[in-house]
Amino acid sequence: MIRRIYLFLVASILIFSACNQNSKETENWKSVYKNAYSTGDYLTGVVALNHLLVLDSANKTDYIDSLALYYTKKLKNFKAGKIYVDKGLELNPDNITLMEFKSIFLGAEDKVQESKALMEKAYKLSGKNKHLYLIAAMKLAIDNDVNAYVQSVNGILYGKYTPETIDVNIDENTSQNVDLKAYCYVEKAKMSSTPAEAVQYLDSALLITPNFQEAIFYKNKFTEKPAK
């Protein structure tokens, strides 16, 4: 009887020790992730998240969502991004951000109707102008529906507007989160009939988002003096 009690106590101590060690590892990796996030070190952030996914399974949904975002938008590792987007949607089919990413992946696979249907679902859930705009952009790309696209842009610029942001690519490796209205002013600049008109729209965009890289690029392009 005494031997049995002794073995039980030893086993309890070992289990407690293992749990305590796991907790310490979890906190250490959370600190690594926090530091990486604050400095924009997304590679280290992904390493930390992968460790946390194993150590802290109770919060796996949050870690999977973050991995999907980092791989897709920050590291441009679309193969890994697609894997975690799918995993995240299995856990939460109504995750709007992951639905956006999934829609983009479907479009890249030429599954255009599925892509459009998923974005329409995202709009129904969010009611955001961003999703309405992205649907119009798909119609432009798929059906060359210029009218729907222009109406969407004008609706954002001149209708009732609640501030929203949209992620836009700067180059193959980096992107920038900007105000949706500023983005639509840049789109109007691209559709302008004269350089002067385009610059007016670009100035409007830069008033809203002064560091908008695409707006700065096009303004320099429209205002640069021709070489003699």
PDB file of all heavy atoms in Angstrom, residues 17 38 40 64 104 121 139 142 160 185-186 209-210:
ATOM      1  N   SER A  17       5.739  18.475 -13.274  1.00  0.00           N
ATOM      2  CA  SER A  17       6.990  19.026 -13.803  1.00  0.00           C
ATOM      3  C   SER A  17       6.906  19.210 -15.312  1.00  0.00           C
ATOM      4  O   SER A  17       7.335  20.224 -15.861  1.00  0.00           O
ATOM      5  CB  SER A  17       8.154  18.103 -13.450  1.00  0.00           C
ATOM      6  OG  SER A  17       9.351  18.570 -14.014  1.00  0.00           O
ATOM      7  N   SER A  38       6.614  43.055 -33.033  1.00  0.00           N
ATOM      8  CA  SER A  38       6.861  44.492 -32.818  1.00  0.00           C
ATOM      9  C   SER A  38       7.936  45.039 -33.745  1.00  0.00           C
ATOM     10  O   SER A  38       7.959  46.235 -34.042  1.00  0.00           O
ATOM     11  CB  SER A  38       7.256  44.745 -31.360  1.00  0.00           C
ATOM     12  OG  SER A  38       8.491  44.127 -31.056  1.00  0.00           O
ATOM     13  N   GLY A  40       8.525  43.657 -36.870  1.00  0.00           N
ATOM     14  CA  GLY A  40       8.233  43.284 -38.258  1.00  0.00           C
ATOM     15  C   GLY A  40       9.081  42.133 -38.760  1.00  0.00           C
ATOM     16  O   GLY A  40       9.262  41.964 -39.964  1.00  0.00           O
ATOM     17  N   ILE A  64      -3.247  29.561 -36.180  1.00  0.00           N
ATOM     18  CA  ILE A  64      -3.454  29.209 -37.595  1.00  0.00           C
ATOM     19  C   ILE A  64      -3.855  30.457 -38.393  1.00  0.00           C
ATOM     20  O   ILE A  64      -3.357  30.683 -39.502  1.00  0.00           O
ATOM     21  CB  ILE A  64      -4.517  28.099 -37.732  1.00  0.00           C
ATOM     22  CG1 ILE A  64      -3.926  26.759 -37.270  1.00  0.00           C
ATOM     23  CG2 ILE A  64      -5.014  27.979 -39.178  1.00  0.00           C
ATOM     24  CD1 ILE A  64      -4.938  25.635 -37.171  1.00  0.00           C
ATOM     25  N   ILE A 104      -8.812  34.738 -53.373  1.00  0.00           N
ATOM     26  CA  ILE A 104      -7.663  35.072 -54.228  1.00  0.00           C
ATOM     27  C   ILE A 104      -7.005  33.807 -54.759  1.00  0.00           C
ATOM     28  O   ILE A 104      -6.664  33.714 -55.941  1.00  0.00           O
ATOM     29  CB  ILE A 104      -6.653  35.923 -53.434  1.00  0.00           C
ATOM     30  CG1 ILE A 104      -7.254  37.293 -53.119  1.00  0.00           C
ATOM     31  CG2 ILE A 104      -5.357  36.095 -54.226  1.00  0.00           C
ATOM     32  CD1 ILE A 104      -6.469  38.102 -52.109  1.00  0.00           C
ATOM     33  N   LYS A 121     -20.000  36.072 -50.367  1.00  0.00           N
ATOM     34  CA  LYS A 121     -20.335  35.616 -49.020  1.00  0.00           C
ATOM     35  C   LYS A 121     -19.650  36.498 -47.974  1.00  0.00           C
ATOM     36  O   LYS A 121     -20.253  36.861 -46.960  1.00  0.00           O
ATOM     37  CB  LYS A 121     -19.903  34.153 -48.831  1.00  0.00           C
ATOM     38  CG  LYS A 121     -20.237  33.599 -47.461  1.00  0.00           C
ATOM     39  CD  LYS A 121     -19.749  32.164 -47.293  1.00  0.00           C
ATOM     40  CE  LYS A 121     -20.016  31.669 -45.867  1.00  0.00           C
ATOM     41  NZ  LYS A 121     -19.506  30.289 -45.650  1.00  0.00           N
ATOM     42  N   LYS A 139     -15.494  41.320 -61.532  1.00  0.00           N
ATOM     43  CA  LYS A 139     -16.354  41.458 -62.717  1.00  0.00           C
ATOM     44  C   LYS A 139     -15.604  42.137 -63.856  1.00  0.00           C
ATOM     45  O   LYS A 139     -15.780  41.786 -65.031  1.00  0.00           O
ATOM     46  CB  LYS A 139     -17.617  42.260 -62.369  1.00  0.00           C
ATOM     47  CG  LYS A 139     -18.604  41.527 -61.473  1.00  0.00           C
ATOM     48  CD  LYS A 139     -19.816  42.400 -61.182  1.00  0.00           C
ATOM     49  CE  LYS A 139     -20.822  41.677 -60.306  1.00  0.00           C
ATOM     50  NZ  LYS A 139     -21.988  42.535 -59.994  1.00  0.00           N
ATOM     51  N   ILE A 142     -13.123  39.405 -65.115  1.00  0.00           N
ATOM     52  CA  ILE A 142     -13.754  38.220 -65.715  1.00  0.00           C
ATOM     53  C   ILE A 142     -14.622  38.593 -66.918  1.00  0.00           C
ATOM     54  O   ILE A 142     -14.527  37.978 -67.986  1.00  0.00           O
ATOM     55  CB  ILE A 142     -14.616  37.480 -64.664  1.00  0.00           C
ATOM     56  CG1 ILE A 142     -13.729  36.967 -63.520  1.00  0.00           C
ATOM     57  CG2 ILE A 142     -15.356  36.309 -65.310  1.00  0.00           C
ATOM     58  CD1 ILE A 142     -14.512  36.532 -62.308  1.00  0.00           C
ATOM     59  N   LYS A 160     -21.912  57.498 -48.969  1.00  0.00           N
ATOM     60  CA  LYS A 160     -21.688  57.439 -47.528  1.00  0.00           C
ATOM     61  C   LYS A 160     -20.502  56.516 -47.273  1.00  0.00           C
ATOM     62  O   LYS A 160     -20.476  55.379 -47.750  1.00  0.00           O
ATOM     63  CB  LYS A 160     -22.942  56.915 -46.835  1.00  0.00           C
ATOM     64  CG  LYS A 160     -22.853  56.945 -45.318  1.00  0.00           C
ATOM     65  CD  LYS A 160     -24.152  56.464 -44.685  1.00  0.00           C
ATOM     66  CE  LYS A 160     -24.043  56.471 -43.162  1.00  0.00           C
ATOM     67  NZ  LYS A 160     -25.300  55.978 -42.530  1.00  0.00           N
ATOM     68  N   TYR A 185      -9.156  56.803 -55.160  1.00  0.00           N
ATOM     69  CA  TYR A 185      -8.684  58.006 -55.849  1.00  0.00           C
ATOM     70  C   TYR A 185      -7.558  57.661 -56.826  1.00  0.00           C
ATOM     71  O   TYR A 185      -7.479  58.231 -57.931  1.00  0.00           O
ATOM     72  CB  TYR A 185      -8.199  59.038 -54.842  1.00  0.00           C
ATOM     73  CG  TYR A 185      -9.279  59.937 -54.300  1.00  0.00           C
ATOM     74  CD1 TYR A 185      -9.491  60.056 -52.923  1.00  0.00           C
ATOM     75  CD2 TYR A 185     -10.097  60.691 -55.151  1.00  0.00           C
ATOM     76  CE1 TYR A 185     -10.481  60.888 -52.413  1.00  0.00           C
ATOM     77  CE2 TYR A 185     -11.093  61.518 -54.650  1.00  0.00           C
ATOM     78  CZ  TYR A 185     -11.281  61.615 -53.285  1.00  0.00           C
ATOM     79  OH  TYR A 185     -12.270  62.441 -52.792  1.00  0.00           O
ATOM     80  N   VAL A 186      -6.701  56.735 -56.450  1.00  0.00           N
ATOM     81  CA  VAL A 186      -5.634  56.304 -57.363  1.00  0.00           C
ATOM     82  C   VAL A 186      -6.239  55.608 -58.578  1.00  0.00           C
ATOM     83  O   VAL A 186      -5.791  55.806 -59.719  1.00  0.00           O
ATOM     84  CB  VAL A 186      -4.630  55.381 -56.642  1.00  0.00           C
ATOM     85  CG1 VAL A 186      -3.633  54.772 -57.636  1.00  0.00           C
ATOM     86  CG2 VAL A 186      -3.869  56.160 -55.568  1.00  0.00           C
ATOM     87  N   THR A 209      -3.821  59.371 -47.224  1.00  0.00           N
ATOM     88  CA  THR A 209      -2.713  58.466 -46.859  1.00  0.00           C
ATOM     89  C   THR A 209      -1.426  59.046 -47.432  1.00  0.00           C
ATOM     90  O   THR A 209      -1.039  58.721 -48.567  1.00  0.00           O
ATOM     91  CB  THR A 209      -2.963  57.039 -47.400  1.00  0.00           C
ATOM     92  OG1 THR A 209      -4.264  56.595 -46.996  1.00  0.00           O
ATOM     93  CG2 THR A 209      -1.906  56.070 -46.876  1.00  0.00           C
ATOM     94  N   PRO A 210      -0.742  59.907 -46.685  1.00  0.00           N
ATOM     95  CA  PRO A 210       0.432  60.622 -47.222  1.00  0.00           C
ATOM     96  C   PRO A 210       1.579  59.743 -47.696  1.00  0.00           C
ATOM     97  O   PRO A 210       2.326  60.133 -48.587  1.00  0.00           O
ATOM     98  CB  PRO A 210       0.877  61.493 -46.034  1.00  0.00           C
ATOM     99  CG  PRO A 210      -0.359  61.663 -45.215  1.00  0.00           C
ATOM    100  CD  PRO A 210      -1.099  60.367 -45.337  1.00  0.00           C
TER     101      PRO A 210
END
